[in-house]
Amino acid sequence: MSYNKNVKYFQVAQGVWGMKIYFVNVYMIANRRGFPKGWVLVDAGVQGSADKVIAMAESIFGAGTKPTAIVLTHAHSDHTGALEDLLKRWDVPVYAHAFELPYLNGKSSYPPADFTVGGGIMSLMSVFFRKTPLKLGNKVKAIDLEQGIPELPEWKIIHTPGHTPGHVSLFLPLNTTLIAGDAFVTTKPESAVYVLNGIKHISGPPMYLTPDWAAAKASVQKLSDLQPRIAATGHGPVMRGRELQEELKKLADNFDKLAVPTGGRYVGHSAEADETGTYYVPAFRSTTKFKVAIGLAGALAGFAVTRALTK
Ligand SMILES: [Zn+2]
Ligand SMILES: [Zn+2]
């Protein structure tokens, strides 16, 4: 099989690479102790992008390479879209937090997205997100937070819930590199212009898909306290150094103002979940109906822009 040699990826840190697939990033981490033998894929892009991920892997690690494991920051379909296709080619273990497993083995669904917040391209994208859960069965293993991931011995796995109940971030203390998934992001995920052009802007987790803002706030505080010098997130470009630390601290200190939407289904009313899946979803309040219309109009405008830009 031949792949596009012009695959475009970027270096995050020594032994860490990323690639933007339309609007979401995937990352590859070389196991420093085992390189070039071992590397791990973090997140699995959107549906239909398996060839892109494989092309990236082969251009970094050589033809016929496969990872030793796949780690999921969370199970949203823009981070797991190519997972089933990749597993057909790579028979490797997949790791996710225990609270994320119900969305990977068909036992539960995430609470519905809140289209009344955010608007723009990403809200619309969420309309196309997979509605039915993945059914990966026992291919997925629960991450032991104490032990970490055996294939990534130098990295710490940090539980950063809020955006999803079992969201995790990956942290390498050696050089304070952080892979934060969607715990916070480095673009404005509600803006088509920001997302598609890779404009840097530190933001909280994507608004329309975050059902627990109190947990999301605590998670950003936890990550800011690590004082990472490099941060690679699910959406947006890599951020580094003082700019990153100052912006992240500002986000943590002013989370309610900067990250939490002013209204919406989950503001002040969190959905609740555990290792069995989602067990409480707050009722949809009728006062938000008007905003739904606005949100959908924004989403459609975003879609038009996307189509125009990706032609
Ligand atoms: Zn997400
Ligand atoms: Zn995402």
Side-chain angles (χ1 to χ4, degrees):
M1 210 178 290
S2 72
Y3 292 105
N4 178 11
K5 296 274 186 295
N6 300 319
V7 57
K8 266 169 71 182
Y9 55 89
F10 52 87
Q11 183 136 26
V12 175
Q14 200 188 356
V16 184
W17 298 266
M19 180 171 65
K20 181 183 178 188
I21 304 172
Y22 305 115
F23 60 97
V24 66
N25 298 320
V26 297
Y27 295 100
M28 294 178 184
I29 304 175
N31 178 351
R32 296 165 64 92
R33 291 183 193 165
F35 186 76
K37 284 185 197 139
W39 62 277
V40 165
L41 174 68
V42 180
D43 288 346
V46 290
Q47 212 157 13
S49 65
D51 282 356
K52 284 196 171 88
V53 176
I54 291 166
M56 174 186 174
E58 298 206 333
S59 61
I60 298 171
F61 303 105
T65 187
K66 70 171 188 177
T68 50
I70 298 173
V71 181
L72 302 174
T73 60
H74 62 303
H76 276 156
S77 52
D78 53 331
H79 297 252
T80 56
L83 190 56
E84 282 173 314
D85 287 343
L86 289 171
L87 288 173
K88 278 179 204 150
R89 189 174 169 106
W90 296 334
D91 185 22
V92 298
V94 178
Y95 291 95
H97 188 278
F99 283 14
E100 217 60 13
L101 296 192
Y103 314 103
L104 291 160
N105 57 25
K107 298 218 167 85
S108 186
S109 297
Y110 285 119
D114 183 357
F115 299 111
T116 67
V117 294
I121 177 190
M122 300 299 287
S123 299
L124 186 87
M125 291 294 190
S126 64
V127 173
F128 296 112
F129 285 172
R130 186 178 50 236
K131 297 292 187 299
T132 50
L134 279 167
K135 292 190 176 128
L136 297 177
N138 56 14
K139 268 213 167 3
V140 197
K141 299 179 183 194
I143 296 170
D144 180 333
L145 292 173
E146 292 283 300
Q147 301 289 316
I149 289 162
E151 289 83 354
L152 276 182
E154 293 178 308
W155 289 72
K156 291 200 178 320
I157 311 298
I158 303 161
H159 188 204
T160 45
H163 181 58
T164 68
H167 189 288
V168 294
S169 302
L170 290 77
F171 184 65
L172 180 63
L174 188 73
N175 60 5
T176 64
T177 297
L178 174 68
I179 297 180
D182 288 358
F184 69 91
V185 295
T186 51
T187 189
K188 273 189 187 170
E190 295 80 20
S191 160
V193 175
Y194 273 69
V195 173
L196 293 170
N197 295 302
I199 300 173
K200 213 188 288 177
H201 184 277
I202 208 155
S203 310
M207 288 181 184
Y208 45 87
L209 283 173
T210 299
D212 185 341
W213 287 102
K217 180 180 182 175
S219 293
V220 167
Q221 185 64 59
K222 205 191 277 187
L223 296 177
S224 175
D225 289 346
L226 294 172
Q227 297 191 289
R229 281 190 293 258
I230 302 170
T233 65
H235 308 275
V238 178
M239 278 182 82
R240 298 170 197 278
R242 184 176 287 185
E243 181 193 26
L244 165 65
Q245 292 181 350
E246 286 176 0
E247 292 286 305
L248 186 54
K249 185 174 183 328
K250 199 165 89 188
L251 180 68
D253 290 349
N254 304 282
F255 192 84
D256 293 333
K257 205 170 118 213
L258 297 177
V260 181
T262 48
R265 184 169 186 165
Y266 302 111
V267 175
H269 312 262
S270 299
E272 291 178 35
D274 59 16
E275 69 280 353
T276 64
T278 307
Y279 63 83
Y280 171 76
V281 178
F284 187 72
R285 284 160 286 154
S286 59
T287 48
T288 55
K289 266 185 188 151
F290 175 65
K291 289 185 186 166
V292 172
I294 304 277
L296 285 177
L300 287 171
F303 184 57
V305 173
T306 319
R307 289 292 294 270
L309 290 175
T310 54
K311 276 261 157 74

